[in-house]
Amino acid sequence: MLLELKNIFKWVNSGGNRVFLLKDINLQVEEGAFISIMGLSGSGKSTMLNVLGMLDTFDEGEYLFNEQPVHQLKEKHRSRLFKENMGFVFQAYHLIDELTVYENIETPLLYKKIKSSERKALVSDMLDRFNIVGKKDLFPAQLSGGQQQLVGVARALVSKPKLLLADEPTGNLNSKQGEEIMELFKQLNQEGVTIVQVTHSEKNAAYGSQIIELLDGRVISR
Amino acid sequence: MIKNYFKIALRNLWKDKTFTGLNILGLTVAFTVAILLSIYALFELSYDRFHKNVDSIYHIYASEQTPDGPGVSTAKPIPFADALQREVPGVEKITKYMGGNVLITHGNKELRMEAAYVDPDFFSIFSFPVIKGNKQHLIEDQSSIVITEKTAKILFGEENALGRTVNILQQGQQRPYTISSILEDIPAQSTMRFNLALNFKNQSDFVYADNIGNWEKSNHSVYLKLSEGVVPTQFEKATRDFTALHYKDDIKDFKRDGIQPDKNGQYIQQRLLGYKDIHFATEKNGNADTSRLYPFLILGIAFLVLFIASANFINMSIAKSAGRLREIGMRKTLGASKAQLFFQFWGESVLIYFMSALIGIVLANLLLGQFQTIFRTSAAFGNVISPSIVIAFFIGVMVITLISGGYPSLLMTKLSTIQSLKGKLEVTGKNRLRDGLLILQFGITILLISGTLVLWDQLEYMRNKDVGFNKEQVIAFPLNGKREDAQAIQLMRNELADTPGIVNITASNNILGLGKDGTSSTSAMGFDYKGRGVKTNILIVDHDYTETLDLEIIKGRSFSRDFKSDSLGLIINQAMADQLQEKDPLQTQIILFDSINYSVLGVVKDFNFQGFDKSIEPLTLFLNPKWNMRNVYVKVSGNNPLQSMSRIEQAWAKIEPNAEFLGSFLDENIDRTLTRERLMTTMIGSGSILAVILSCVGLFAMSLLVVTQRRKEIGIRKVVGASVSTITLLLTKEFLKLVLIAFLIATPIAWWFTSQWLQGYVYRIDLSVLTFLLAGGIVLVIAIATISTKTIGAATQNPVKSLRTE
Ligand SMILES: Nc1ncnc2c1ncn2[C@@H]1O[C@H](COP(=O)(O)OP(=O)(O)O)[C@@H](O)[C@H]1O
Ligand SMILES: [Mg+2]
């Protein structure tokens, strides 16, 4: 078992009332799984993904990652766990505008304090793999949306994470570009990367081996 | 990693050229000025610190009780120094000191130079290192002279000066001296300045030889080094018996005149002034009052200027940080820790700061020459720099960047990843900080401007004050003492006799104001009149003195060539007349110098014969054309005074071909006494101009941001029918409110400071609300002009355009 959410609740206080963002979420993610999360806009998909990715906290429940209770870990320990295991892909790409393609992909490695020579090799691998060697010195603004997302995925994968979290990765792409990304995910999954993605599209959701549907912060079907 | 930070920092700075430019510009200017001002202040503060013993060297002076309260007297009688060392324990070394101008000749070179007459211990008390010649026993024999390296250059050029002989004019004779040692040039930060040093015993007889053992006549200063462990206040107490013994006659007179002793029962109290404080000391109530306010004020201005630029930096950084939030969130999801992010963003400010500081240092170096000229200082990097100063500067810059760069970084990095990814900066109180900083900036600016205006007013007031004599049409210059003064004056009279434009010629022993040679002088004496002690300043004058200077005789008459007996006549000023307490001062007879009977011929209206910030003291004028009359006064007619000046110069050149002509109009002499005030006005003035500019740079940046941020709002308002003027007002109001608050806060503070400062002047302006309103008005107008450039532009924009771009 890679990770497990047990009875997770998350809420915000609004005018003295608790507004629940997540209600009693239970989820088990096996190593090598490919899970798609679906649901209406505002149903809590992003919130759940962020909790999974340790970007956001929750108010009640347990979160085990590799058998370790994340909610009890110290900040430092948790951030190491995060650094070593997670890769993120966003709908809005979220590349750093001031860095080139190459530098964007390199950044996570810098934070992991990987040596320069090794860094070079890893980034080159990614550039090769995604066929963007020729674009490595361009800045994000000079790329199309599909290419930017490709860079986003490459950057998420460069540090070889166990778990790839993707929040509507195809949301800003046309269908052909979206399909390419999905094919890529499929391939990655076959290579052993565990993937949790949020998507609106049934077609994209079908790439996953399991679909979870959220409504008002609650899992309504799996 | 560092490389990555560096790259992104540079790219970010480059991307936002306007703000980077404004920031670097502001900070660079601020650093340049702050560095120059700091050099100046540090230079002032390091005065006399080069003496190794500076902490145990003291100037001994006396607080004397007088009918007008306690006064300071620094002059000591000849036996004083030796007796003090012998009779009061704790004196390790002691020296007499008397400065003076001497005429030194070598070959056909003939120069006026500053001489120091001292005892041999002088050189082991003070640190004026010998670079050539005898290092141990300086001026111990009375035929040797010690000169500085610069003097050696002037006299001998590149030739070896050691062992050579020079002549010095003393008591009308050329006396030869052998150069025994050459001193390192006197550091710029030395209060004591001289070209050459001679044994005190070489002083003219009327100073030294005639007064050996005489406690009645005081004429020189005494410096001493206390033995280790001796506490100055204890030492001062220990001198009381000594004073009681040697000054018993004076003390008896004080008692007879009913003068009140000080709280310790002392009429004369010897006091020590630490040599390290000498540059900062002024007299106050019979005590030396040490104040380093001026250099610290300058440092304060340097700091304020940096503060204003830094406040701009903080405001711009925070305002711009919203644009960087996504990057921060992104980096967090890529594994960056808070600390790493903090250092990245802080690093960017460090980069800007060090870039500005570096350019600032370069610019300061380039401007140093002009700075030195304007502020009449020899302060330079070379004479203040030291490892500790460099380290302090470095740490200072780091601390400033830590605050001004660190705070915005902290704001940004402390947000949660999700918040930052959403790109929303939900920091409460953000505008409060911005407003607070803007208020502070404008408050400081208004403070400095009103300070400048008050200083300026006071300066002009003092310059234009009626000093009681004609300062516009009188040229004064010093004689060089080569000839008998009376002879030189007579030659001048002959030379200028029928010269058009020359009205009158006279001379006196003391100069009015501060002469072109940088000297000023007063003489004073005390005598008993009808059983009371009377003190008066004295002025020895030639004929035509009152006429040349247009002094107003309010009673009696002036000196006249028609009465031979006028050499036993006196002219007194009103203050002196008041002191004599006679119904008719013209009936007054005064017995002076044991038995000579002088009578008062006339009373002259009070005029400022001393400093122009002092009240006018009693003054007595003696007529004695044969006396030492070092200062010639020439009254010229109002038309073409400059031509008259050159005629006088030519005449002087005829009489003394080798001598320099140091003539200046008396109003220039008065101006010279106001150097300190003028410097302060210029410093605070330039500080305030800078503060205005920098504050406006900040205000401009803020209005630029607000206008961009509120573009949509402006568009909507226009669509619903708001006029250009209401929108401009809406945008401008927000900032003008801040200037107004700044004005309300700063004005009372400025009022307090300036009124405190004015207390130090006897003749001072009355503070007027108008001055402060003017300062506030200036700032307000400039602020409006600054903001309007952006707000009017925004208000006149086509609303459709601004709505579309949102
Ligand atoms: N920090 C927060 N405070 C208040 N409401 C929040 C917060 N975060 C998310 N929400 C609300 O929770 C709901 C779920 O949001 P989100 O997870 O982004 O939905 P989805 O990604 O499924 O569209 C939304 O209604 C959103 O407005
Ligand atoms: Mg979402």
Side-chain angles (χ1 to χ4, degrees), chain B residues 91 146 279 292 481 656 696:
Chain B
V91 181
V146 169
H279 184 62
R292 290 179 166 77
E656 287 289 352
C696 285

Side-chain angles (χ1 to χ4, degrees), chain A residues 45-46 167-168 198:
Chain A
K45 304 181 298 289
S46 297
D167 194 348
E168 302 189 38
V198 168

Side-chain angles (χ1 to χ4, degrees), chain B residues 717-718 720-729 795:
Chain B
R717 282 178 190 273
K718 279 195 85 170
V720 299
S723 71
V724 172
S725 57
T726 44
I727 289 178
T728 311
L729 191 68

